[in-house]
Amino acid sequence: MAELRIEGLGKVFGAKPVLRGVDLTVESGCLVAVLGASGSGKTTLLRLICGFERADSGTIRIGGEAVCGPGLHLAPERRRIGYVAQEGALFPHLSVADNIVFGLPRHLRRRHDRVSDLLALVGLPADYAGRPPQELSGGEQQRVALARALAPAPRLVLLDEPFSALDAALRVQTRQAVTAALSAAGATALLVTHDQSEALSVGDQVAVLRDGRLVQVADPRTLYRSPADPQLAQFVGDAVLLPGLAQGGHARCSLGMLRLADGAPDGPVDLLVRPEQILLAPGPDAPGVRARVVDVTFYGHDASVLLRLSGGDDTTMLTARVAGHITPWPGQEVALTVEGDVVAYPCKAG
């Protein structure tokens, strides 16, 4: 597999810029998840890498070879890219084996030499080879689509929201199987998704696109714990943002004095607290900021708890995330404390 390097990539449709100077490197053998809302430019980025669209500016290199640049547009079939679409796009009139070898040269298609190995790689039994794809579940079809993408030994594998059509339980199972197969194959891969939990759980790195620009590229933990700005904090997971005053590595806010994760300058700040950092303790004598439970959304393994702070004129509403077995009841009074460091964003003047 090969490194993917994108520099200054831009694309305009009509008068609307869709990608604006995108720089991204996917190291050989790594999986990068590109996360973004609808209209952020994810699909356009994939189409430019594949060669389905021509870039207006910038360069794309795969394994050191330029495939896109000023005066250069290498044809899609010459880029040696494996592509997995949203719904697999298998041919219903071909068997699983014939689907897998479809992209190989004609003399290799008849031999089916590697079909068993490829099926094993994606976690499917060898006897699936003779089945029509419509006899397989949606998740199994996506695994066959990945096997087909890997069959020609591509330099790069691109996955276009490959799990979005699956139900929740099957989605988790399939993406685990797919990422395991990519890792076993040593594949360099780029996956695009609008699903935050999917991006965080599968990517070695996560690149966030917003309005055609990459706003942050980081490993999943760094992205979640230290997002680049408040808008990104709210996009990547649930976020509680509170005004505060920072001084000497701590900040005072409606939840008390909190320890800052990094060296934010003293002065007014917006504080990022993740809901799971807010700990609830019942009873009138429990230490912490007093609050009353307004509503509870129960999920079984955990629950989302809507709270209103008590005392004085403070009517702040916020959400905590608690384990299912300690979920409080609406109307219950609790004490709140914050576990761990919080991130501070300096307030912009004006």
Side-chain angles (χ1 to χ4, degrees):
M1 295 297 174
E3 178 191 73
L4 168 67
R5 184 176 294 273
I6 299 168
E7 295 179 345
L9 195 64
K11 181 65 180 177
V12 177
F13 289 115
K16 181 183 178 183
V18 179
L19 290 178
R20 313 163 188 250
V22 170
D23 296 326
L24 178 64
T25 297
V26 182
E27 295 181 0
S28 179
C30 288
L31 169 59
V32 170
V34 177
L35 175 64
S38 178
S40 62
K42 305 187 304 298
T43 298
T44 299
L45 177 61
L46 274 196
R47 292 182 64 81
L48 293 178
I49 297 171
C50 284
F52 300 154
E53 300 279 355
R54 289 179 177 267
D56 294 318
S57 59
T59 61
I60 301 172
R61 293 181 178 273
I62 303 174
E65 178 190 2
V67 299
C68 163
L72 172 66
H73 179 82
L74 196 67
E77 63 272 16
R78 296 177 58 194
R79 297 191 181 197
R80 290 182 55 200
I81 291 174
Y83 180 78
V84 181
Q86 279 191 23
E87 297 182 6
L90 301 179
F91 299 109
H93 62 290
L94 298 180
S95 68
V96 164
D98 286 335
N99 266 282
I100 289 174
V101 301
F102 184 81
L104 298 178
R106 187 179 298 273
H107 70 281
L108 294 178
R109 292 185 204 173
R110 303 188 188 96
R111 295 170 55 182
H112 287 189
D113 281 355
R114 297 182 58 229
V115 168
S116 295
D117 291 341
L118 287 163
L119 284 171
L121 182 65
V122 297
L124 293 176
D127 61 8
Y128 274 39
R131 294 190 184 186
Q134 53 269 32
E135 289 186 3
L136 277 55
S137 70
E140 290 170 337
Q141 290 184 35
Q142 284 300 84
R143 298 193 204 185
V144 173
L146 176 61
R148 180 177 63 186
L150 292 172
R155 297 186 296 181
L156 175 68
V157 178
L158 303 180
L159 302 103
D160 184 6
E161 304 213 34
F163 316 118
S164 60
L166 307 178
D167 62 55
L170 189 57
R171 187 181 308 136
V172 172
Q173 179 186 31
T174 304
R175 74 189 183 203
Q176 288 173 342
V178 166
T179 53
L182 289 169
S183 178
T188 306
L190 192 72
L191 177 147
V192 301
T193 180
H194 64 275
D195 186 320
Q196 295 90 340
S197 62
E198 183 171 286
L200 294 172
S201 64
V202 305
D204 299 311
Q205 297 275 301
V206 181
V208 183
L209 263 179
R210 186 171 67 207
D211 297 327
R213 299 183 188 275
L214 279 179
V215 293
Q216 189 170 0
V217 181
D219 66 89
R221 291 192 181 192
T222 299
L223 181 70
Y224 184 77
R225 292 176 177 174
S226 302
D229 56 43
Q231 186 179 350
L232 183 55
Q234 292 176 305
F235 180 65
V236 183
D238 296 325
V240 176
L241 290 170
L242 299 170
L245 185 64
Q247 185 174 12
H250 290 75
R252 182 171 296 280
C253 67
S254 55
L255 288 177
M257 186 70 77
L258 307 182
R259 188 176 67 244
L260 299 180
D262 48 29
D266 292 350
V269 292
D270 289 319
L271 299 171
L272 165 63
V273 183
R274 292 297 187 187
E276 63 271 17
Q277 289 183 264
I278 301 174
L279 307 182
L280 279 60
D285 299 325
V289 175
R290 310 308 298 180
R292 189 168 297 278
V293 177
V294 176
D295 194 19
V296 173
T297 304
F298 185 70
Y299 300 105
H301 51 79
D302 67 357
S304 178
V305 181
L306 181 63
L307 301 153
R308 179 185 286 113
L309 299 188
S310 307
D313 297 326
D314 197 340
T315 58
T316 299
M317 302 280 285
L318 51 84
T319 300
R321 198 88 177 189
V322 302
H325 68 281
I326 57 170
T327 303
W329 294 98
Q332 186 174 349
E333 187 173 332
V334 294
L336 309 182
T337 55
V338 175
E339 182 178 45
D341 299 344
V342 301
V343 176
Y345 302 100
C347 292
K348 295 180 179 179

